[in-house]
Amino acid sequence: MSISMSSASLPIFQTMLTNLSHLLAKAQTHAEAKKFDPSVLTQYRLAPDMLPFTRQVLIACDAAKLCVARLSDLEAPKFEDTETNLVELMSRIQKILDWLKTVPASALDGTELKSITFPVGKDKTRTMTGEDYLKHWALPNVFFHVTTAYAILRHNGVDIGKADYLLGSNP
């Protein structure tokens, strides 16, 4: 039995973004307990040429919403990317989660062979089938940016572990 495009996308994106929000909540609690400005975390990067934490969160959100929008031909919500703190980032994640809940499975199912052309960098595009785009671009992209956000928080002493990444607040 094969799985559907909706079952391979929506619940995965919802789980990863929900767990990401859980990580941010733990980071906020950590900053309050240790009495430091949480913006230290939002601007942190693992290497000088990497994007900071805030961008990791925003890109994870955008990768999920744009994948679903491109596959379904639905309009993705647009945001100004003005979030500067953990609370605003959690709100952004929630907006994406709320939108994902409105996407009917029927809008995604059957898009395996649909041609998806998307930007890669500033001036290039790439074209893949819907299934390849989901499995080999969008899902890995979300995982990469959520993992990077996790690593930044963990590196900065936030008390999180594998269960927080995989299960969020539902151990």
Side-chain angles (χ1 to χ4, degrees):
M1 173 186 240
S2 63
I3 63 172
S4 66
M5 290 290 281
S6 63
S7 70
S9 60
L10 291 173
I12 309 305
F13 292 145
Q14 290 165 332
T15 296
M16 293 311 298
L17 293 178
T18 298
N19 294 356
L20 179 58
S21 187
H22 167 74
L23 297 173
L24 272 65
K26 287 193 88 167
Q28 182 72 32
T29 300
H30 175 76
E32 290 167 2
K34 298 291 184 180
K35 298 185 180 1
F36 69 85
D37 182 356
S39 68
V40 171
L41 299 173
T42 60
Q43 294 308 308
Y44 195 86
R45 57 184 81 215
L46 293 174
D49 64 344
M50 281 184 86
L51 294 170
F53 179 82
T54 295
R55 291 299 305 151
Q56 301 298 332
V57 173
L58 296 178
I59 292 170
C61 288
D62 287 351
K65 77 170 181 175
L66 291 172
C67 173
V68 170
R70 288 175 180 138
L71 289 171
S72 67
D73 289 328
L74 295 172
E75 177 117 10
K78 292 180 174 66
F79 303 103
E80 296 296 319
D81 293 346
T82 57
E83 294 81 2
T84 60
N85 61 54
L86 296 172
V87 172
E88 291 172 350
L89 289 169
M90 286 185 280
S91 176
R92 171 68 166 269
I93 294 168
Q94 190 57 54
K95 289 175 189 173
I96 301 301
L97 289 168
D98 291 344
W99 180 75
L100 290 173
K101 288 178 192 171
T102 71
V103 177
S106 61
L108 293 163
D109 294 339
T111 60
E112 294 85 352
L113 299 178
K114 179 180 179 179
S115 182
I116 305 292
T117 299
F118 55 98
V120 180
K122 293 181 182 178
D123 56 359
K124 295 180 184 174
T125 61
R126 187 166 186 176
T127 301
M128 303 171 93
T129 65
E131 182 176 6
D132 285 346
Y133 171 63
L134 174 64
K135 292 181 353 187
H136 302 289
W137 190 269
L139 287 169
N141 203 16
V142 170
F143 294 142
F144 174 85
H145 291 286
V146 172
T147 300
T148 302
Y150 168 90
I152 289 170
L153 296 178
R154 180 88 168 134
H155 175 79
N156 280 281
V158 177
D159 186 20
I160 53 176
K162 186 176 181 179
D164 295 293
Y165 176 87
L166 293 174
L167 305 172
S169 59
N170 300 310

